[in-house]
Amino acid sequence: MTVDLVQISNCVTRKPIPGLDTYCPSQRDPHRNNFCFHHIYILQILGSWTQMFQIMTYWSIRRPLLKCITDAYSFNFITFYIMFGGFFLCTSVIYKNDRFLPPLQVLCVQIKCFHEIITIGYSVYHSYHLPWFRTLSWYFLLCVNYFFYGETVTDYFFTLVQREEPLRILSKYHRFISFALYLTGFCMFVLSLVKKHYRLQFYMFGWTHVTLLIIVTQSHLIIHNLFEGMIWFIVPISCVICNDIMAYMFGFFFGRTPLIKLSPKKTWEGFIGGFFATVVFGILLSYVMAGYRCFVCPVEFNSDSNSFTVDCEPSELFQLQDYSLPAALESLTGWVRVRMYPFQIHSIALSAFASIVGPFGGFFASGFKRAFKIKDFANTIPGHGGIMDRFDCQYLMATFVNVYIASFIRGPNPTKVIQQLMALRLDQQLHIFNSLKAHLTEKGLLPANEEVA
Amino acid sequence: MTFFMNSGICGIRRCFGLTPSPAKESSETDGEDRLGLTGEPDGEADGDSKADTPEIPTSVDNTPQCLNKALEGLSSRWRNWWIRGILSFTMISGFFLIIYLGPVMLIIVVMTVQIKCFQEIITIGYRVYHSYDLPWFRTLSWYFLICVNYFFYGETVADYFGVLVQKEEPLQFLVRYHRFISFTLYLAGFCMFVLSLVKKHYRLQFYMFAWTHVTLLIVVTQSHLVIQNLFEGMIWFIVPISIVICNDIMAYLFGFFFGRTPLIKLSPKKTWEGFIGGFLSTVVFGFIFAYLLAQYQYFVCPVEYDSETNRFAVECQPSELFVMQEYRLPAALQNVLRWVMKMYPFQIHSVALSTFASLIGPFGGFFASGFKRAFKIKDFANTIPGHGGIMDRFDCQYLMATFVHVYIASFIRGPNPSKVLQQVLVLQPEQQLSIFNTLRSHLQDKGILPPPRPEAQ
């Protein structure tokens, strides 16, 4: 994390630098890049030091903390989220372009969650003494991660992959290699079946696969969302966290009617209060974030400078537009029109999902803990339990955001379509060319007297 | 496959079944943390006396009356042999008949097999967990099956019937928001599951949930891979399945006549002689069978949907894989034989497929055997007399289907053209125009299109 005085001075004198434009005040003002000023470098240093300080403090006081604060649930609750928020902010937002660590963070969380659930499986089935099983579970995790990361890398780093010869071969035969790896694990499982422990082994096999299905696929959806634009990663996660906190607060102060037998501490007042608070929070947060290009632009890998760039022309979703309020709200607030980003309307949908369906993920995890008679998934975070306890609601949210983006926001990526086109045979390309020409002529986008092939 | 195990065991009745204990309250009621169904490490033969699997009522005999009459005179061992033989022959003929009837019938048959396999495995789960009394669960399992099938079939329809879809307005809407609709349906099932959790039966319910999902993962995804292979060309469907069947039969025959050294503790009737003999004969069979089939356009061409005639058409220019080529033998053999081999490139691929079917395919069978031993069942069901359930016959096919799909995707073809066209048509008009121009210049460079005229605008 170095401070480059030359770069700072360049920013100040308004010379555009490739890859660093985000941090320079742009000519177009509506996208307030004031925050992304050259002060960013100072903030970066502060951020990294804070981060290290946090980690050191956490690990040193973990044990005494565990001893004396196990009762004060609410205190832990708030402290966790402050800590998490700080960590998150420092590592995700304020970053220099050439390092892009959120995928690694997601990977770490994923591995920890997987480890926690598998450990529960071991203790439920007393299968610690089947040594192959620990190896096989981790091996399957590795295989599935290799498959998904390979697909992501092939999609997003296409030019880099095409350049390097070993990477090109790996990506061309990627599915085959992943399948071969998985098959090896499968055959090892079959060969490891021991006469008296068949049922246990099959249970652990099933347990591993369901865990992989839940955790790994959805952590990769999170990474896909991230590449779409950091705002699609930050806003959903923040909405879920906010819903958690707000529902807890409302329940604490006003809670009376129990919500569901599964979690006796949840109340209807908390649920509804949390819903409204989350929607409002979502609108405000997206308003704040949609102004900055570093959040809004898709993350691209620039193969010339070998770094990640978040620089683009923001789409219409992130441009202020005038909306006239419906009559009811107009009489209420006295405003006739309001300027907001279209993204804020989407954020209402995201917040609504996080408040209404998100808790079901929490109930699922509560039911799971009751079914297997465990109090917490693990003891990683004092007072809170394991990582899985904190991330259980996030998974449904990640899938929802991914599906939402695919359905309502973007279509297929044009660059990717061109790549696929170029990979086809020539006669297939010709066929597509003719179909496309007919389609475009019909739509009136092409003059009708184009040359026919 | 369990072909071998069953025929060997038919005379021997291994008493896996324990006497069914009186209906026991699920383990949640006792305060222990232990699962009542765990196999004790020191218990007898992977069992425990508390919660156990009642023996499947194998006394139900589905053999038709006429067969019974015809085989009255034979001793029970040969009788079983004959029943199995006749049923095998019937199934194989049925298979060829369905191929003759065309792709639509094949898809319907694949769907039916999938549903039956799913039902068999779920029934075993109910029996293992005594969860018949949780009525929501049967509904939810079938609901999840419908959701996942809807998702996969929607994707297939959108890919292969792109033109048809563009014409109809409601279909277009369904295709555009397909993922969202599927996800919503799945979520509804998930929420129903959470709401249906009953205090004393949490663990059972979670087990059934997981059981359902793993079954879906195994059965449904791979049946869709089978269908995708089918659309690639019926030969990619017929040859792998025939190879697996042939490997089964050949390994059995070799094992029967020459078998001596046991192969794996899990299936004591399998032998190394059967394994190796099966491998070699399957490679030869695959080679010959591929040669026979590669000549016909009906098998070789991708299945297309013809929107004018509203039918499936299998007509095309066969790709180079299916055009006879000359191969020179390696120098060593050339001096001896002086042949010039004329064969289809596809036959070389068929050697790879046969190798996989012989070497790795049996692991699917061992997996199913282990599964049956773990849950103390003799067969998955009793649908086919002498053979057991549908799942018994199809257990090796699943690995094969996935392998063929991955093989095709990696080595044979690039992306699916109709899918690419689909994606192009969904883009914004400006993006479509830019793609059109890029493609046109690319094709002009390659000489497929005439170069732009000098007065080009």
Side-chain angles (χ1 to χ4, degrees):
Chain A
M1 197 71 86
T2 55
V3 178
D4 195 335
L5 288 172
V6 175
Q7 284 170 335
I8 291 182
S9 65
N10 275 335
C11 263
V12 172
T13 56
R14 310 269 166 121
K15 244 187 262 177
I17 301 163
L20 284 173
D21 274 296
T22 319
Y23 298 136
C24 297
S26 78
Q27 303 294 341
R28 273 185 305 277
D29 224 351
H31 303 281
R32 297 166 279 135
N33 281 322
N34 300 334
F35 181 68
C36 305
F37 223 71
H38 56 268
H39 291 147
I40 207 74
Y41 289 103
I42 302 171
L43 281 169
Q44 280 182 20
I45 304 171
L46 267 181
S48 56
W49 279 105
T50 325
Q51 180 185 332
M52 280 199 293
F53 178 71
Q54 276 183 346
I55 295 178
M56 278 170 15
T57 327
Y58 171 74
W59 280 108
S60 55
I61 66 172
R62 186 168 161 241
R63 271 184 214 280
L65 201 66
L66 184 61
K67 270 195 226 150
C68 58
I69 316 183
T70 38
D71 287 340
Y73 181 74
S74 52
F75 178 70
N76 286 322
F77 200 69
I78 309 283
T79 49
F80 171 75
Y81 280 123
I82 293 177
M83 207 166 68
F84 177 73
F87 183 78
F88 189 79
L89 196 68
C90 294
T91 57
S92 307
V93 174
I94 308 173
Y95 244 96
K96 222 172 129 167
N97 280 334
D98 55 356
R99 252 167 297 173
F100 190 65
L101 282 192
L104 275 181
Q105 291 174 301
V106 173
L107 182 64
C108 292
V109 168
Q110 176 209 97
I111 292 179
K112 192 72 185 68
C113 289
F114 183 80
H115 173 69
E116 285 178 9
I117 299 186
I118 292 289
T119 314
I120 293 174
Y122 293 148
S123 55
V124 168
Y125 292 118
H126 301 279
S127 55
Y128 255 136
H129 59 288
L130 296 168
W132 265 118
F133 243 81
R134 273 171 286 175
T135 322
L136 273 172
S137 305
W138 288 105
Y139 178 80
F140 281 126
L141 176 71
L142 213 72
C143 283
V144 181
N145 263 326
Y146 173 76
F147 173 69
F148 279 118
Y149 272 106
E151 298 263 311
T152 313
V153 164
T154 317
D155 283 349
Y156 289 102
F157 300 92
F158 189 70
T159 33
L160 172 69
V161 165
Q162 292 296 81
R163 266 199 321 222
E164 311 280 338
E165 189 57 31
L167 282 185
R168 204 173 62 79
I169 296 182
L170 278 183
S171 105
K172 190 162 150 61
Y173 298 112
H174 178 250
R175 286 199 179 181
F176 192 74
I177 296 173
S178 316
F179 184 64
L181 288 176
Y182 176 81
L183 266 190
T184 318
F186 183 84
C187 295
M188 292 312 304
F189 167 72
V190 172
L191 291 172
S192 76
L193 288 173
V194 177
K195 195 170 159 61
K196 286 197 176 29
H197 304 294
Y198 291 147
R199 192 180 289 203
L200 270 189
Q201 292 180 293
F202 271 94
Y203 280 155
M204 280 314 296
F205 186 77
W207 190 286
T208 307
H209 278 70
V210 176
T211 314
L212 282 174
L213 191 70
I214 297 177
I215 293 183
V216 178
T217 50
Q218 302 194 50
S219 70
H220 281 273
L221 292 179
I222 293 182
I223 293 181
H224 274 272
N225 295 345
L226 185 70
F227 275 100
E228 198 60 32
M230 296 214 320
I231 200 172
W232 291 105
F233 172 67
I234 297 176
V235 167
I237 291 186
S238 317
C239 283
V240 173
I241 295 175
C242 167
N243 183 58
D244 247 357
I245 299 179
M246 288 298 155
Y248 177 77
M249 297 279 197
F250 276 86
F252 189 77
F253 290 118
F254 308 114
R256 215 149 317 204
T257 344
L259 180 62
I260 188 173
K261 281 195 304 297
L262 199 49
S263 294
K265 289 204 182 138
K266 304 274 167 88
T267 55
W268 275 103
E269 290 83 6
F271 186 70
I272 295 177
F275 170 65
F276 284 113
T278 309
V279 168
V280 170
F281 172 80
I283 293 179
L284 291 175
L285 181 71
S286 42
Y287 179 72
V288 167
M289 289 204 141
Y292 301 103
R293 267 201 282 183
C294 42
F295 295 129
V296 150
C297 291
V299 177
E300 308 263 336
F301 183 74
N302 191 342
S303 47
D304 304 314
S305 57
N306 265 356
S307 61
F308 289 93
T309 49
V310 269
D311 194 17
C312 67
E313 179 71 45
S315 71
E316 322 79 61
L317 260 194
F318 300 104
Q319 290 179 6
L320 277 171
Q321 287 179 16
D322 282 329
Y323 288 92
S324 35
L325 282 178
L329 280 178
E330 199 178 317
S331 47
L332 203 65
T333 53
W335 294 333
V336 175
R337 322 162 70 98
V338 74
R339 279 174 67 90
M340 56 184 208
Y341 298 97
F343 179 72
Q344 292 182 269
I345 304 178
H346 291 295
S347 78
I348 297 179
L350 297 180
S351 315
F353 181 87
S355 322
I356 300 178
V357 186
F360 279 91
F363 299 150
F364 186 84
S366 302
F368 182 84
K369 286 192 279 195
R370 297 223 183 174
F372 297 101
K373 295 190 178 37
I374 52 182
K375 187 175 171 301
D376 284 319
F377 278 92
N379 263 328
T380 318
I381 310 174
H384 284 279
I387 298 271
M388 193 64 203
D389 285 296
R390 293 275 65 84
F391 285 92
D392 50 20
C393 296
Q394 303 283 0
Y395 285 115
L396 276 182
M397 192 71 198
T399 320
F400 175 75
V401 173
N402 191 292
V403 171
Y404 191 86
I405 293 178
S407 303
F408 297 113
I409 309 291
R410 69 161 167 83
N413 188 2
T415 341
K416 193 168 174 185
V417 176
I418 292 188
Q419 286 161 18
Q420 288 182 316
L421 265 181
M422 295 304 154
L424 289 172
R425 292 200 307 263
L426 285 174
D427 55 326
Q428 293 167 325
Q429 287 176 354
L430 190 62
H431 178 249
I432 290 184
F433 176 78
N434 288 329
S435 315
L436 185 58
K437 183 159 73 173
H439 176 82
L440 286 175
T441 319
E442 207 181 299
K443 294 263 181 184
L445 288 163
L446 271 185
N449 58 351
E450 280 285 320
E451 278 293 316
V452 181
Chain B
M1 285 214 264
T2 55
F3 203 130
F4 319 101
M5 237 183 81
N6 286 337
S7 53
I9 291 177
C10 67
I12 315 163
R13 295 276 279 172
R14 265 199 236 192
C15 283
F16 279 143
L18 308 169
T19 52
S21 59
K24 192 171 165 52
E25 189 56 50
S26 68
S27 51
E28 274 74 34
T29 48
D30 42 70
E32 298 179 27
D33 209 1
R34 296 247 229 122
L35 172 61
L37 294 167
T38 304
E40 304 281 351
D42 53 342
E44 76 275 66
D46 188 47
D48 50 65
S49 48
K50 285 196 283 184
D52 47 53
T53 320
E55 174 95 7
I56 290 189
T58 45
S59 51
V60 175
D61 191 1
N62 281 343
T63 333
Q65 260 322 92
C66 52
L67 266 183
N68 270 334
K69 272 207 155 108
L71 302 168
E72 277 176 331
L74 298 169
S75 71
S76 90
R77 182 168 175 247
W78 283 106
R79 188 158 165 274
N80 265 317
W81 232 89
W82 272 104
I83 292 180
R84 291 178 68 89
I86 292 175
L87 259 310
S88 309
F89 184 72
T90 317
M91 285 195 291
I92 294 177
S93 329
F95 179 56
F96 282 115
L97 179 69
I98 293 170
I99 292 174
Y100 178 72
L101 288 176
V104 182
M105 263 329 268
L106 275 172
I107 295 178
I108 295 177
V109 167
V110 171
M111 267 295 275
T112 317
V113 167
Q114 176 208 94
I115 294 177
K116 194 74 182 66
C117 288
F118 184 79
Q119 192 215 2
E120 286 178 8
I121 300 185
I122 292 288
T123 314
I124 293 175
Y126 292 148
R127 197 170 295 124
V128 168
Y129 294 117
H130 303 282
S131 55
Y132 255 139
D133 52 311
L134 297 169
W136 266 117
F137 243 82
R138 274 172 284 177
T139 322
L140 272 173
S141 305
W142 289 105
Y143 178 80
F144 280 127
L145 176 70
I146 293 175
C147 282
V148 181
N149 264 324
Y150 173 76
F151 172 68
F152 279 118
Y153 273 107
E155 299 262 311
T156 315
V157 164
D159 285 350
Y160 289 101
F161 299 91
V163 181
L164 172 70
V165 164
Q166 293 291 6
K167 281 196 295 207
E168 311 278 340
E169 188 53 37
L171 280 187
Q172 221 179 2
F173 174 78
L174 280 182
V175 164
R176 201 172 145 67
Y177 298 110
H178 178 249
R179 287 198 180 184
F180 193 74
I181 296 172
S182 316
F183 183 64
T184 317
L185 289 176
Y186 177 81
L187 266 191
F190 183 83
C191 296
M192 289 316 302
F193 167 72
V194 172
L195 292 172
S196 76
L197 287 172
V198 178
K199 194 169 162 60
K200 287 201 178 25
H201 303 294
Y202 290 149
R203 195 180 287 203
L204 273 187
Q205 292 180 295
F206 271 96
Y207 280 151
M208 281 314 296
F209 185 78
W211 191 286
T212 307
H213 278 70
V214 176
T215 313
L216 282 174
L217 192 71
I218 297 177
V219 175
V220 179
T221 52
Q222 302 194 51
S223 72
H224 280 273
L225 292 179
V226 169
I227 291 181
Q228 298 220 350
N229 295 345
L230 181 72
F231 274 103
E232 198 59 31
M234 300 219 314
I235 199 173
W236 290 105
F237 174 76
I238 299 171
V239 167
I241 291 186
S242 316
I243 287 179
V244 173
I245 295 175
C246 167
N247 183 57
D248 252 0
I249 299 177
M250 287 297 154
Y252 175 75
L253 289 177
F254 274 87
F256 188 77
F257 290 117
F258 308 115
R260 213 151 317 202
T261 344
L263 181 61
I264 188 173
K265 281 198 302 294
L266 196 50
S267 293
K269 289 291 164 183
K270 306 269 171 96
T271 57
W272 276 102
E273 290 83 7
F275 187 70
I276 295 178
F279 168 60
L280 294 171
S281 51
T282 307
V283 170
V284 171
F285 169 80
F287 198 77
I288 298 175
F289 195 54
Y291 176 77
L292 288 175
L293 285 188
Q295 299 164 1
Y296 300 100
Q297 261 191 357
Y298 182 69
F299 297 124
V300 152
C301 292
V303 175
E304 304 267 335
Y305 183 74
D306 196 352
S307 45
E308 281 112 47
T309 56
N310 268 357
R311 276 186 334 111
F312 285 98
V314 268
E315 276 170 19
C316 67
Q317 182 70 248
S319 74
E320 324 77 62
L321 263 192
F322 302 103
V323 171
M324 190 96 73
Q325 286 178 18
E326 288 189 1
Y327 286 92
R328 305 209 144 270
L329 288 176
L333 284 174
Q334 191 141 34
N335 299 333
V336 177
L337 290 174
R338 226 168 292 150
W339 283 344
V340 174
M341 299 270 301
K342 281 172 68 83
M343 59 184 200
Y344 297 99
F346 179 71
Q347 292 181 271
I348 303 177
H349 291 297
S350 79
V351 170
L353 296 181
S354 313
T355 314
F356 181 85
S358 321
L359 297 181
I360 311 282
F363 279 91
F366 301 150
F367 186 84
S369 303
F371 181 83
K372 287 192 282 191
R373 297 222 186 176
F375 297 102
K376 296 192 188 15
I377 51 181
K378 186 174 172 302
D379 284 322
F380 279 92
N382 261 331
T383 319
I384 311 175
H387 286 273
I390 300 271
M391 193 66 201
D392 284 300
R393 294 275 64 86
F394 285 91
D395 50 18
C396 292
Q397 301 284 358
Y398 285 116
L399 276 183
M400 192 70 196
T402 319
F403 176 75
V404 173
H405 184 90
V406 170
Y407 191 85
I408 293 177
S410 303
F411 298 113
I412 309 290
R413 69 160 166 83
N416 183 7
S418 40
K419 189 164 184 174
V420 177
L421 183 61
Q422 247 334 83
Q423 289 181 317
V424 171
L425 291 174
V426 171
L427 288 174
Q428 304 289 335
E430 314 82 60
Q431 295 167 322
Q432 286 178 349
L433 260 181
S434 78
I435 288 185
F436 178 77
N437 289 328
T438 317
L439 189 59
R440 179 170 57 180
S441 51
H442 174 80
L443 287 175
Q444 281 164 350
D445 284 337
K446 294 276 179 180
I448 308 273
L449 281 180
R453 290 212 285 214
E455 67 266 7
Q457 49 279 44

